[in-house]
Amino acid sequence: MAFQKAVKGTILVGGGALATVLGLSHFAHYKRKQVNLAFVEAADCISEPVNREPPSREAQILTLKNTSEFDVLVIGGGATGSGCALDAVTRGLKTALVERDDFSSGTSSRSTKLIHGGVRYLQKAIMKLDIEQYRMVKEALHERANLLEIAPHLSAPLPIMLPIYKWWQLPYYWVGIKLYDLVAGSNCLKSSYVLSKSRALEHFPMLQKDKLVGAIVYYDGQHNDARMNLAIALTAARYGAATANYMEVMSLLKKTDPQTGKERVSGARCKDVLTGEEFDVRAKCVINATGPFTDTVRKMDDKDTTAICQPSAGVHIVMPGYYSPESMGLLDPATSDGRVIFFLPWQKMTIAGTTDTPTDVTHHPIPSEEDINFILNEVRNYLSCDVEVRRGDVLAAWSGIRPLVTDPKSADTKSISRNHVVDISESGLITIAGGKWTTYRSMAEDTINAAVKAHNLKAGPSRTVGLFLQGGKDWSPTLYIRLVQDYGLESEVAQHLAATYGDKAFEVAKMASVTGKRWPIVGVRLVSEFPYIEAEVKYGIKEYACTAVDMISRRTRLAFLNVQAAEEALPRIVELMGRELNWDDSKKEEELETARKFLYYEMGYKSRSEQLTDRSEISLLPSDIDRYKKRFHKFDADQKGFITIVDVQRVLESIGVQMDENTLHEILNEVDLNKNGQVELNEFLQLMSAIQKGRVSGSRLAILMKTAEENLDRRVPIPVDRSCGGF
């Protein structure tokens, strides 16, 4: 139809409440027709992608260097920037996108993993008679439905429970949740419902039962945020956008408009972060979609411009899957300080968050111990006293910077905008800021509409409603069965591949290595307790992964699920990437060091490791100290005051257990606080004290020594796998 030829280039960087409620049914009917028509229109207008597979990064850089002028250059490869690139290229604009780090390396990979309209925003819209908030919720619910439609492999509806502990709250929250369903109209995922106390505990058995009245369950969407962001960028590349990660904008290019005599932004000076090469990328329009770094790019355009970004840090933690049911989330609508906390199953783990505190803009946000403990305390308030919420069960933690913005054109320049803001500077730089993950597509549509109008670009309407993202078109819920049957993959691995890559999972399966076992036939795991396989490393490079950090955090999600498991997988990941990318030994060591630093600071390894240090107090009863000393001396038979690998091997051999030396070294190293190659009695007592306080959990040495003590006479094999994968 209107979009029949290959596309070559756009550059992207990075009334009152009562009246509203009364008019909902008519409005919902109108919107239902409008949404259905939009999907049909999109399906009729979009041609097939230009490229069957995304071009290599090297090919994309050549396109950036050799194209005389793009229509659009987008700065920023997060959800919004990638969405802008996809919207522009599918309108027939010559599009480019550059990102200084990796796609989704910032806020877009550090979200709560929800695709939602915002229950609390609807509450504010009703209470404050705020039509703007209502429209924002309405838009988000429409976008929620679209995102679940275009990326079914990466997203799914999730029931979320709102526990009720006071009778008067039941009708209050029920009305609010029912209005949420009503505002969604035809986009309502499933109707909300009320549960009695007994039914609520049946669905969520670890819930605090004292004074529980009942619960309300409503539905929102959940997704794999980093993979979703990547799917948007890869889809843009397949449709012809020149996209490149690790491409930093050093400055903006300008030229004088012959008609007005004013300077206009005409592109950007870019630097390949991996090689150091610099070159100019010219474009009729430059879009600033850099999230928390919005003002950095705006000041490249005008150093005197007023800052509009007010960054806020949101911390999340990941805990073992047994903390929540597999398919039911929890919402705490009013925490001790008035914030909202979600407690959700995700990737067979449990994610809890978020906080909301002012912060400075940084490329490397670090989760604080204060925020981690705040979340743990709130979780304790809602879980049964039978469930001990331990600091040591925090397997990963991260901080994401939410780019709250003020509207520079608003009379009240200090007021935070509830919605996204599209701003056009005097020199033509277009900035898109604010908003939320769920509405990335409508934000991109508004941005490209503004670009087309401001720069007189020849383009049709947006065509991204109903446009499948990479992997979504031929996905089905039973696709994983074919992977098991055709390739001999484990069922868990096959389900993971189908849910991560959609219809592209077959390409990953083709790369899978033979295991040498009877079953599974192919699919060597990177780490035993997660379904990630070595073939994903090779395939990840085709998806523009350039570093080990890219692989552990955004191509796989290991770093977000369990930092210790991610560290365990790192050497093999670096080895595989080194083969594909021709890294020498020096480069491999550099990648290992960088990735470990990333885990240590940005993913919560530092705050977790500080739960057990050589300065940790020993707070044990005398009887406990005597008991642990006896256990220690069963290994320290010579009364040296410390144990080594040799001591542990001797005890294991005496009960008929064999364990390789590398594994033993890892186990002792977890407790060897002064790193002298041996575990001293004081270190062992510090470990046991930390375990009793809940600061440490799953210590392999503690479990091994306890089991050995109990089984020295019975000769029972000792399990040494990590408990829940963490301290």
Side-chain angles (χ1 to χ4, degrees), residues 637-650:
D638 301 329
Q639 303 292 305
K640 305 181 298 297
F642 60 84
I643 59 175
T644 64
I645 289 176
V646 174
D647 296 318
V648 178
Q649 281 177 326
R650 175 182 52 76

Side-chain angles (χ1 to χ4, degrees), residues 715-726:
R715 305 296 191 264
V716 175
I718 301 171
V720 294
D721 290 340
R722 282 197 311 274
S723 168
C724 313

Side-chain angles (χ1 to χ4, degrees), residues 308 405-409 417 419-423 431-435 443 447:
I308 62 171
V405 294
T406 57
D407 188 344
K409 301 216 168 21
S417 174
N419 215 327
H420 61 271
V421 171
V422 178
D423 178 59
T431 294
I432 170 66
M443 292 167 63
T447 305

Side-chain angles (χ1 to χ4, degrees), residues 82-192:
S82 299
C84 287
L86 180 58
D87 191 282
V89 76
T90 51
R91 296 192 196 204
L93 293 169
K94 194 183 293 185
T95 305
L97 180 148
V98 293
E99 160 61 47
R100 73 171 297 280
D101 205 308
D102 185 27
F103 301 114
S104 197
S105 58
T107 307
S108 296
S109 64
R110 305 175 190 226
S111 72
T112 312
K113 324 303 180 194
L114 284 178
I115 311 169
H116 62 129
V119 173
R120 56 179 174 156
Y121 295 123
L122 182 60
Q123 179 189 25
K124 291 178 181 177
I126 302 291
M127 299 297 288
K128 297 182 180 180
L129 305 181
D130 191 333
I131 191 66
E132 182 188 346
Q133 294 243 28
Y134 167 77
R135 287 171 178 158
M136 184 176 68
V137 173
K138 185 73 181 175
E139 177 187 55
L141 289 170
H142 169 255
E143 293 301 323
R144 180 188 70 178
N146 181 65
L147 196 49
L148 290 166
E149 178 79 19
I150 65 177
H153 57 304
L154 291 169
S155 59
L158 175 71
I160 300 175
M161 181 182 290
L162 182 63
I164 306 296
Y165 288 92
K166 295 178 181 177
W167 280 108
W168 68 265
Q169 291 179 335
L170 192 58
Y172 174 77
Y173 284 122
W174 182 83
V175 169
I177 294 297
K178 278 302 175 186
L179 281 174
Y180 193 60
D181 290 348
L182 189 59
V183 172
S186 63
N187 294 322
C188 181
L189 302 180
K190 291 184 181 180
S191 292
S192 57

Side-chain angles (χ1 to χ4, degrees), residues 353-420:
T354 177
T355 59
D356 185 7
T357 51
T359 186
D360 295 326
V361 175
T362 172
H363 291 289
H364 307 289
I366 298 172
S368 72
E369 186 64 22
E370 181 182 355
D371 282 333
I372 291 171
N373 283 320
F374 167 79
I375 296 172
L376 287 173
N377 287 332
E378 294 303 323
V379 169
R380 288 188 185 101
N381 292 336
Y382 273 87
L383 294 190
S384 168
C385 56
D386 296 335
V387 180
E388 184 184 357
V389 180
R390 304 180 298 184
R391 174 61 181 83
D393 283 339
V394 176
L395 307 178
W398 67 86
S399 176
I401 300 178
R402 185 183 177 198
L404 303 175
V405 294
T406 57
D407 188 344
K409 301 216 168 21
S410 171
D412 182 6
T413 57
K414 293 183 180 180
S415 177
I416 296 289
S417 174
R418 301 183 186 94
N419 215 327
H420 61 271

Side-chain angles (χ1 to χ4, degrees), residues 634-705:
K634 287 185 183 295
F635 286 77
D636 180 23
D638 301 329
Q639 303 292 305
K640 305 181 298 297
F642 60 84
I643 59 175
T644 64
I645 289 176
V646 174
D647 296 318
V648 178
Q649 281 177 326
R650 175 182 52 76
V651 174
L652 295 180
E653 287 172 2
S654 72
I655 58 174
V657 173
Q658 297 293 324
M659 192 178 301
D660 69 88
E661 193 169 321
N662 286 335
T663 302
L664 284 174
H665 177 75
E666 288 177 7
I667 291 173
L668 262 68
N669 193 53
E670 292 173 1
V671 188
D672 180 13
L673 303 178
N674 55 17
K675 303 304 176 188
N676 61 356
Q678 57 199 31
V679 175
E680 294 151 8
L681 175 60
N682 201 58
E683 290 174 323
F684 179 66
L685 293 176
Q686 286 174 318
L687 168 66
M688 301 314 296
S689 179
I691 289 173
Q692 276 200 8
K693 290 183 175 180
R695 295 200 306 264
V696 171
S697 65
S699 166
R700 290 187 282 181
L701 181 64
I703 293 171
L704 184 148
M705 293 178 70

Side-chain angles (χ1 to χ4, degrees), residues 567-627:
E567 186 184 42
E568 222 174 81
L570 264 178
R572 183 58 179 161
I573 288 173
V574 169
E575 185 64 33
L576 291 168
M577 292 188 76
R579 287 183 200 169
E580 299 294 318
L581 299 173
N582 298 315
W583 290 346
D584 58 21
D585 290 343
S586 174
K587 176 62 175 174
K588 290 178 185 177
E589 191 57 42
E590 179 188 332
E591 286 294 321
L592 276 172
E593 182 61 28
T594 301
R596 285 171 178 151
K597 191 177 293 185
F598 167 78
L599 292 173
Y600 188 73
Y601 289 105
E602 295 185 50
M603 300 311 299
Y605 212 153
K606 178 179 184 292
S607 59
R608 190 182 68 176
S609 64
E610 288 173 350
Q611 301 307 308
L612 179 63
T613 70
D614 55 6
R615 299 182 302 277
S616 297
E617 292 183 5
I618 299 174
S619 301
L620 295 169
L621 295 173
S623 58
D624 288 332
I625 292 176
D626 289 342
R627 178 160 52 94

